[in-house]
Amino acid sequence: MIDLVGWYLAITLLGLAAWPILFFLLPELPDRGYTFSRAAGLLFTGYVYWLLGSLGFLANSVGGVIFSLLLVTGISLWAYRTHENDESLSRWIGSHISVVAVAETLFLLAFIGWAIFRAYNPDIAGTEKPMELTFLNGIRTSPKFPPQDPWLSGYAISYYYFGYVLIAILADITGTASSVAFNLGIAMIFALTLLGSYGIIYNLVVGWRSNRHAAQPDQLSASAFSSLVGPIFVGIIGNFAGFLEMLRAIKLPFIGQNFWSWIDLEDLVDPISVRLWPPDTWRFWWWWRASRVIRDRDIAGTAIGLQPIDEFPFFSFLLGDMHPHVLDLPFVLLALVLAFNALRQREPLTRHQLVLYTICFGALAFLNTWDLPIYLFILIGALSLHAIRQRQVFEIGDLGRPILTGLGILGAGIIAYLPWYISFRSQAGGILPNAIFATRLHQFTIMFGLFLIIILWFVISRGIRHSRHMNWSLAVILSISLLLILVLIVVVIGAAVLRLDPGVRAFVASSIDPSYVGRPDPEISSALPTLVREIVSYRLTHPLTPLILLFVIMITLAALLPRVPTAGEAGKAEINPTIGFAMLLILTGALLTLGPEFVYLRDVFGQRLNTVFKFYYGAWILWAVASAFAVHEIISKAKPIARGIFIVLLTLLMGGALVYPAFAIPAKANGFVETKELPTLDGIDYIRRSYPDDYNGIQWLHQNALPTQIVLEAVGAQYSYYGRVSMSTGLPTVIGWPGHERQWRGDTYAE
């Protein structure tokens, strides 16, 4: 309880230290950055602490953290004193008390609630939790930055580790043991994510309702409560896998085996006999299946071994892995609201704003490198929309300055985080074609069905109402060109790889016809023309997912790039910045989900599982935000009958999506049954219970070993109990999980 209170007070203090900076630098946000102040305060303090530590000016200590916080506070006070005549913070709070009250209540309930949940399944064991505690302890025990890698003695961490620095800061200033900080960190990121998703929807809704006039008090109050759909969509709902699991448990007589065979989700094909409640009796880790609903089969119909990962935020919080894509969530939402501010404000970004944008967008690469290009694209798109709004038509020149500004922020961000870039190594190795595996539409709908229905309703209704201003011809040309480019990439790279790599030829041949397994390469090479025709024929018979996505891309492009009116045509397109921003998020999400249909990034896995994982995860966030806003727009603008149909449909879809958290939470928390061991937030208490000698040795090392000393441990497989001492202490061992070191270091691993 003391640790919980300490963390709440610490993150609140960080938020108060940073809010004046956001308040005066983000004047076009209806909430003036209030809902993002905690995330920003943690980010600013972490950046100062890491940078000064990396340059040798600060020790990696509690004193260094306090100094960094004081520096951020000083900058905030300077910002406040410089702008205090513009508007008072206290006056703003008085006129926006509803959003402040809802935001504070949401954050507190989310933090306490998820800390309780973690206390009933706290063990840092299985999946990648040991790796994450290893990083956290390695950062906390290192005398300087870059931090030592506890699983490869003599080397620094080669990963995007900034998120662990931020958790270490909270652990240091509250004096929390890392094994407890791990679980409190998950609860904190959950609360910050819900708060940020609430904040972005509040800003979008109020900005939309007050586009022409200042928002009225009743609008602010209504928006403060209706914006709660944001955290529900982003961080609480699941995909429809939970609903299917429930249907399977109910065993409805009119749903036969053919239906489950068509759905084709592993573990949901064979008959089962379970009770509906409690859900933890359904199947061991049944909730895991929600992260594997895209099931790739080759042309021969065989399910491949390494299936795509399709996590979504609630699954991540349920699983409890403190991975970079989870630690990054509050900060990608911060990046989104910064992009929205750039779109809304009349003038170009000021020098002080550019510094803010550089620190926040530059951090994305250090937090989770995959996210930087996604949100930089959105920022450039928002700046382009800002230019388009000035003349209410699109011209190619509108892209020039936004692209230069985005590239400038990118370059400045690289310089701002240069000490990390110098030490970072990656497993990424270019682009490979996805010629064989097509995502079936019904499985895509299981993943994104709620958002997809809302988005289609939103874009189609906008297309009908504003058709005369939309640039349909340009949108069709761009959409078809995009498809042709993707197909050309597949053809060119695929042909080159087939000719140069016998292993790829053998894999492709066996994927089309199992009889090719073991045949000599000359025989396979002679059959290449036939094999290529089989691939083309197969892909042409599975076009639905790409076609739906291209349809969404076409409509959003037509709306975002309004045409020049013809002679004698009255009026130009008036682009509401909030509508435009929502369309931009929908477009980006569609591009992210379309990409893995044709290409994937080469890594150690050799399949598209990681590309689908990271691209779908980003698409979930963007589509969740856009859908949460679209709900407000549709209900406000639709005619009574259409509004009634939409509300009924929305209720059914949300009910299906909420089945997953409703059943998965008690299943994962063992029904919240108290035992001698639970609840506890100590993630290594299981070692004390099951391996008391190990635990005593770990405690002895905590008290007696120097951070520079090395522990010799046996080397074992990844996802195992091996590496437990270095994990629990942060003291480096010669090598921990070799498979993960290979992933982190890519081609340099052999060295």
Side-chain angles (χ1 to χ4, degrees):
M1 178 60 74
I2 294 176
D3 289 331
L4 186 71
V5 173
W7 276 58
Y8 175 78
L9 294 176
I11 195 66
T12 301
L13 176 63
L14 290 167
L16 291 174
W19 186 38
I21 297 175
L22 300 184
F23 187 86
F24 295 113
L25 289 183
L26 304 176
E28 295 301 329
L29 292 183
D31 81 336
R32 300 299 291 268
Y34 181 84
T35 54
F36 293 89
S37 58
R38 285 182 170 92
L42 183 58
L43 178 64
F44 297 162
T45 304
Y47 174 69
V48 172
Y49 177 58
W50 166 81
L51 180 63
L52 295 181
S54 297
L55 297 177
F57 296 114
L58 283 182
N60 185 14
S61 64
V62 177
V65 175
I66 294 174
F67 176 84
S68 302
L69 175 57
L70 290 175
L71 186 57
V72 171
T73 304
I75 295 173
S76 262
L77 290 174
W78 171 80
Y80 180 73
R81 293 296 299 273
T82 304
H83 299 84
E84 61 182 339
N85 294 328
D86 297 347
E87 185 176 1
S88 166
L89 276 72
S90 58
R91 192 182 307 123
W92 183 91
I93 291 177
S95 60
H96 294 77
I97 192 65
S98 56
V99 66
V100 172
V102 173
E104 290 301 314
T105 302
L106 172 65
F107 178 79
L108 184 60
L109 292 178
F111 182 49
I112 294 175
W114 213 250
I116 292 172
F117 170 76
R118 291 301 310 156
Y120 282 90
N121 59 120
D123 295 355
I124 303 173
T127 61
E128 293 187 309
K129 296 180 186 68
M131 166 201 120
E132 293 142 7
L133 181 60
T134 299
F135 282 164
L136 180 59
N137 271 320
I139 288 166
R140 295 189 71 186
T141 58
S142 294
K144 60 181 181 179
F145 292 128
Q148 62 188 7
D149 184 348
W151 279 352
L152 193 65
S153 62
Y155 287 84
I157 293 175
S158 177
Y159 203 57
Y160 22 91
Y161 63 82
F162 192 37
Y164 302 102
V165 172
L166 303 183
I167 298 299
I169 284 175
L170 290 170
D172 285 346
I173 59 179
T174 57
T176 309
S178 295
S179 56
V180 175
F182 184 97
N183 286 308
L184 284 176
I186 292 292
M188 178 64 66
I189 295 298
F190 177 72
L192 288 174
T193 300
L194 295 196
L195 180 61
S197 53
Y198 170 75
I200 185 70
I201 299 304
Y202 177 82
N203 283 296
L204 290 174
V205 171
V206 175
W208 169 63
R209 288 176 172 170
S210 60
N211 185 41
R212 294 184 176 180
H213 308 286
Q216 300 300 311
D218 59 331
Q219 289 181 324
L220 296 177
S221 180
S223 301
F225 289 96
S226 65
S227 298
L228 286 169
V229 70
I232 293 173
F233 276 24
V234 174
I236 295 179
I237 65 168
N239 59 28
F240 290 138
F243 177 72
L244 292 171
E245 293 275 0
M246 185 185 70
L247 282 185
R248 194 70 169 154
I250 294 174
K251 296 186 288 291
L252 296 174
F254 55 85
I255 299 180
Q257 191 62 41
N258 289 338
F259 172 79
W260 298 110
S261 298
W262 173 71
I263 290 293
D264 192 28
L265 296 189
E266 190 176 353
D267 301 325
L268 283 184
V269 176
D270 299 324
I272 59 173
S273 179
V274 296
R275 294 176 296 167
L276 181 61
W277 195 267
D280 55 339
T281 63
W282 288 0
R283 186 178 68 252
F284 178 71
W285 275 28
W286 64 265
W287 46 267
W288 177 272
R289 185 53 50 207
S291 69
R292 301 295 191 278
V293 300
I294 307 299
R295 197 174 190 202
D296 278 349
R297 289 184 177 274
D298 60 27
I299 298 176
T302 304
I304 64 173
L306 292 174
Q307 290 291 345
I309 302 170
D310 48 70
E311 277 193 35
F312 46 91
F314 183 80
F315 173 88
S316 302
F317 290 121
L318 185 81
L319 179 64
D321 278 14
M322 191 190 286
H323 220 57
H325 68 278
V326 181
L327 294 169
D328 197 26
L329 283 169
F331 308 103
V332 299
L333 293 168
L334 174 61
L336 282 182
V337 87
L338 291 178
F340 182 58
N341 177 80
L343 171 57
R344 271 180 64 87
Q345 73 179 38
R346 297 177 184 274
E347 302 299 325
L349 296 175
T350 66
R351 288 178 300 167
H352 292 141
Q353 285 180 316
L354 287 172
V355 173
L356 171 66
Y357 280 58
T358 293
I359 292 174
C360 294
F361 279 86
L364 295 182
F366 197 2
L367 284 160
N368 185 39
T369 306
W370 293 74
D371 285 328
L372 177 60
I374 296 173
Y375 294 92
L376 189 64
F377 176 85
I378 291 172
L379 176 61
I380 293 173
L383 292 170
S384 301
L385 282 177
H386 180 276
I388 293 170
R389 286 184 64 222
Q390 304 299 313
R391 287 178 287 96
Q392 300 177 339
V393 295
F394 168 70
E395 293 182 3
I396 192 67
D398 294 329
L399 302 178
R401 183 167 182 172
I403 291 175
L404 289 176
T405 301
L407 292 177
I409 290 173
L410 173 63
I414 292 174
I415 295 172
Y417 292 88
L418 190 59
W420 170 71
Y421 279 98
I422 291 173
S423 63
F424 179 60
R425 298 294 180 270
S426 174
Q427 60 168 306
I431 296 175
L432 289 176
N434 171 33
I436 295 176
F437 303 110
T439 302
R440 288 167 282 177
L441 182 59
H442 67 274
Q443 293 185 345
F444 189 81
T445 306
I446 293 171
M447 180 66 188
F448 291 113
L450 170 62
F451 304 145
L452 194 59
I453 298 300
I454 296 172
I455 285 169
L456 286 172
W457 189 303
F458 176 66
V459 298
I460 290 173
S461 62
R462 295 288 306 179
I464 293 173
R465 293 202 303 267
H466 301 274
S467 179
R468 69 188 186 94
H469 292 301
M470 297 171 71
N471 200 334
W472 293 107
S473 58
L474 179 60
V476 170
I477 291 171
L478 291 176
S479 301
I480 294 176
S481 299
L482 173 64
L483 177 62
L484 292 177
I485 289 171
L486 290 172
V487 171
L488 184 63
I489 290 173
V490 172
V491 170
V492 172
I493 299 180
V497 173
L498 278 175
R499 289 185 178 279
L500 297 174
D501 194 328
V504 171
R505 288 195 291 272
F507 169 76
V508 170
S510 62
S511 298
I512 297 172
D513 186 348
S515 67
Y516 279 97
V517 175
R519 291 193 190 183
D521 183 63
E523 185 176 343
I524 295 175
S525 298
S526 64
L528 277 181
T530 302
L531 297 176
V532 170
R533 284 195 296 271
E534 289 284 341
I535 293 173
V536 173
S537 174
Y538 177 76
R539 291 304 298 265
L540 289 176
T541 58
H542 292 77
L544 293 181
T545 300
L547 288 179
I548 289 288
L549 293 172
L550 280 170
F551 175 74
V552 171
I553 290 169
M554 181 189 69
I555 295 184
T556 52
L557 285 174
L560 292 171
L561 308 175
R563 64 183 177 84
V564 178
T566 58
E569 191 174 14
K572 293 182 179 181
E574 182 177 349
I575 302 176
N576 182 294
T578 308
I579 297 293
F581 192 72
M583 287 285 190
L584 177 62
L585 300 188
I586 292 170
L587 169 66
T588 309
L591 292 172
L592 287 173
T593 49
L594 178 66
E597 295 301 297
F598 298 94
V599 295
Y600 63 94
L601 301 182
R602 179 178 175 269
D603 53 26
V604 297
F605 301 106
Q607 298 290 348
R608 68 171 187 153
L609 85 163
N610 215 28
T611 303
V612 169
F613 174 18
K614 299 302 174 64
F615 283 17
Y616 276 32
Y617 207 82
W620 180 285
I621 297 165
L622 301 181
W623 279 359
V625 169
S627 298
F629 166 74
V631 166
H632 289 82
E633 198 271 352
I634 293 169
I635 292 176
S636 298
K637 295 294 185 181
K639 295 180 179 179
I641 295 178
R643 183 186 302 121
I645 294 172
F646 177 77
I647 290 174
V648 171
L649 182 61
L650 177 66
T651 302
L652 293 174
L653 291 170
M654 287 188 66
L658 286 169
V659 166
Y660 183 78
F663 283 85
I665 288 174
K668 186 69 162 58
N670 301 309
F672 294 98
V673 175
E674 294 190 11
T675 65
K676 290 182 179 180
E677 298 82 19
L678 300 177
T680 179
L681 286 170
D682 188 352
I684 65 169
D685 191 60
Y686 75 97
I687 298 180
R688 179 188 62 81
R689 300 191 307 266
S690 302
Y691 309 97
D693 289 340
D694 283 359
Y695 187 82
N696 291 335
I698 288 167
Q699 297 306 313
W700 186 91
L701 287 169
H702 272 306
Q703 297 166 10
N704 295 280
L706 298 175
T708 55
Q709 292 183 302
I710 297 172
V711 174
L712 182 60
E713 292 189 80
V715 181
Q718 51 195 359
Y719 308 110
S720 70
Y721 186 52
Y722 283 85
R724 58 196 176 275
V725 177
S726 46
M727 171 197 79
S728 302
T729 62
L731 298 172
T733 189
V734 175
I735 190 166
W737 287 3
H740 274 60
E741 287 291 348
R742 180 181 294 276
Q743 291 180 41
W744 303 332
R745 300 181 185 275
D747 293 339
T748 65
Y749 175 75
E751 299 175 12

